[in-house]
Amino acid sequence: MRLIETCLIAAAATLAAPLASGQTTAKLKVGLMLPYTGTFTALGNAIENGFKLYVAEQGGKLAGREIDFIKIDDESDPAKATDNVNKLIKRDNVDLIVGTVHSGVAMAMAKVAKETGTLLIVPNAGAGAVTGPMCAPNIFRSSFTNWQPGYATGEAVAKRGHKRVVTITWKYAAGDEMVGGFKEAFEKAGGQVVKELNLPFPNVEFQALLTEIAAVKPDAVFSFFAGGGAVKFVKDYAAAGLKKNIPLYGTGFLTDGTLEAQGADAEGVLTSLHYADSLNTPRDNAFRLAYAKAYKQQPDVYAVQGYDAAQMLAVGLTAVKGDIGKRAELVAAIEKARIDSPRGAFTLSKSHNPVQDFYLRQVTGKENKVIGIASKSLADPGRGCRM
Ligand code: PHB
């Protein structure tokens, strides 16, 4: 090891040393690996905003430690993911990583986190593997597994009496797994998926696929798109004249954070998700007000997931008085936690994924209005990774 590195490490160790009270006070380095360009840009920004809002509400510190954020734009590109996450760990020496949105990128991050033991909190990406086969004591998720909203929507679409459905999504882990969850619930209830349509991520040339939907004439369509792609899909679906004859359903990502841009073309679209705009609980109302005040825009599900990632970290750090090196105690505290989320309180499954309610929502004006519960206390199917 070079001398300068030795000195830096020694200095860092001194800075991070606990006080006599046992409280660690040095700044905590949080790596934010999120999409800041491309179709998921708004999602990355909302996650960062949500995370920072919670920190600001705690007076700018978590468990007595101020935070340095080190940001990296992952571009939702799985091919760059391993390099990016290694930069945060090896070059920037972060204490933990919060990221990301895209399932393919998250799987590469989870692999490195598992190998290096770096604490990772996933604030969106739902890849089943992250809290399934790849799960590890140091990996947590504040969002969902892709299977969950897919399954909840499948139950809801069956209950509404539809029998023949076409699915359409981007061809990658998130799309495949949400369609998988949808199909499982929908077919169990007697429905039939008559065609599965796909296009590569992040393409938005929907025309040929919309023509196919018109030819098949299903009872309904189930879709997963998000961010910029979701805006275009909902607009193109309406422009193709399909909306008035074939009801459009989706996981809630289709209409979350997108309604301003989708305008009247989104009116009436039905989705299910673990969040909605009109929950009207004191907890959510307080969150929405604080978020709107801080950022001059309305929060969405991604903002909530970022906020809750910070809450989960705070629970763990508080249990160890800021000493993130006390890994076993930190993990045990998060595992036991009941997170007071704006979505409604949740606990974590033994795979470290939220066990939560899924709301059935319908777009009414600029809101995803709750019209029922699609699935109560839905847990991921993971088998667990507790210490
Ligand atoms: C994912 O890739 O897991 C993903 C991306 C965007 C969403 C939801 C899931 O809105």
Side-chain angles (χ1 to χ4, degrees):
M1 189 182 292
R2 286 181 301 148
L3 182 61
I4 184 151
E5 280 176 32
T6 317
C7 292
L8 283 173
I9 289 167
T14 315
L15 278 173
L19 296 177
S21 64
Q23 181 70 51
T24 306
T25 54
K27 280 192 174 183
L28 187 75
K29 276 186 162 188
V30 176
L32 287 180
M33 184 162 153
L34 292 166
Y36 293 109
T37 52
T39 201
F40 289 160
T41 305
L43 290 61
N45 286 326
I47 289 167
E48 178 180 339
N49 287 346
F51 193 100
K52 288 185 168 169
L53 178 64
Y54 184 75
V55 175
E57 288 177 354
Q58 313 314 305
K61 291 181 184 175
L62 296 184
R65 296 185 71 173
E66 280 175 42
I67 298 189
D68 259 348
F69 290 100
I70 293 115
K71 290 168 55 167
I72 210 156
D73 176 10
D74 67 37
E75 304 169 53
S76 295
D77 185 350
K80 298 183 181 159
T82 303
D83 273 359
N84 280 333
V85 74
N86 275 325
K87 271 185 206 153
L88 285 174
I89 295 171
K90 298 193 178 132
R91 181 194 66 189
D92 301 325
N93 263 309
V94 296
D95 292 303
L96 73 140
I97 296 177
V98 176
T100 188
V101 169
H102 184 286
S103 273
V105 177
M107 282 192 277
M109 294 174 74
K111 183 164 184 290
V112 178
K114 198 172 164 120
E115 284 163 7
T116 58
T118 309
L119 180 64
L120 171 66
I121 305 179
V122 180
N124 183 71
V130 169
T131 50
M134 295 170 77
C135 84
N138 55 306
I139 300 176
F140 288 90
R141 182 146 55 194
S142 64
S143 51
F144 55 89
T145 59
N146 291 320
W147 176 89
Q148 281 178 307
Y151 190 89
T153 314
E155 287 187 316
V157 172
K159 272 200 196 114
R160 293 176 70 85
H162 303 298
K163 296 280 183 250
R164 294 171 69 251
V165 164
V166 169
T167 65
I168 178 166
T169 187
W170 281 312
K171 182 79 200 143
Y172 80 110
D176 291 348
E177 292 172 5
M178 286 188 213
V179 167
F182 173 85
K183 205 170 159 178
E184 185 183 328
F186 186 59
E187 298 202 334
K188 199 152 67 182
Q192 194 193 354
V193 170
V194 292
K195 191 153 220 165
E196 295 182 33
L197 300 172
N198 295 288
L199 74 170
F201 175 86
N203 288 8
V204 289
E205 280 75 44
F206 299 118
Q207 215 47 55
L209 300 175
L210 294 173
T211 306
E212 260 190 273
I213 293 173
V216 176
K217 297 194 179 64
D219 297 342
V221 165
F222 167 76
S223 58
F224 161 64
F225 294 103
V231 171
K232 178 139 191 312
F233 180 71
V234 165
K235 293 192 91 53
D236 286 4
Y237 194 85
L242 294 174
K243 191 171 169 234
K244 46 187 190 306
N245 299 320
I246 308 174
L248 177 60
Y249 290 83
T251 47
F253 312 108
L254 190 66
T255 55
D256 234 79
T258 54
L259 291 179
E260 206 61 57
Q262 287 163 336
D265 290 337
E267 187 71 21
V269 172
L270 284 148
T271 63
S272 64
L273 200 65
H274 47 292
Y275 188 60
D277 299 325
S278 61
L279 294 179
N280 202 18
T281 57
R283 181 71 183 97
D284 191 44
N285 289 347
F287 166 75
R288 295 188 72 85
L289 193 65
Y291 191 94
K293 230 169 141 175
Y295 303 110
K296 313 285 172 254
Q297 57 182 334
Q298 291 301 315
D300 55 19
V301 69
Y302 310 104
V304 171
Q305 293 167 172
Y307 188 84
D308 291 341
Q311 293 210 67
M312 287 163 63
L313 175 61
V315 165
L317 269 185
T318 302
V320 295
K321 298 197 167 142
D323 183 357
I324 199 161
K326 291 192 172 151
R327 177 59 59 80
E329 293 98 308
L330 179 139
V331 165
I334 305 177
E335 286 180 342
K336 283 201 297 279
R338 185 171 181 274
I339 302 296
D340 185 19
S341 171
R343 77 187 82 171
F346 69 83
T347 54
L348 293 165
S349 73
K350 42 188 197 326
S351 306
H352 294 178
N353 187 76
V355 178
Q356 54 197 339
D357 295 343
F358 281 77
Y359 305 98
L360 182 62
R361 310 120 37 99
Q362 184 158 37
V363 177
T364 312
K366 292 285 156 59
E367 268 195 356
N368 284 293
K369 255 200 160 19
V370 183
I371 59 166
I373 297 282
S375 231
K376 192 107 193 105
S377 297
L378 190 63
D380 61 297
R383 271 184 290 145
C385 52
R386 293 202 160 167
M387 280 174 123

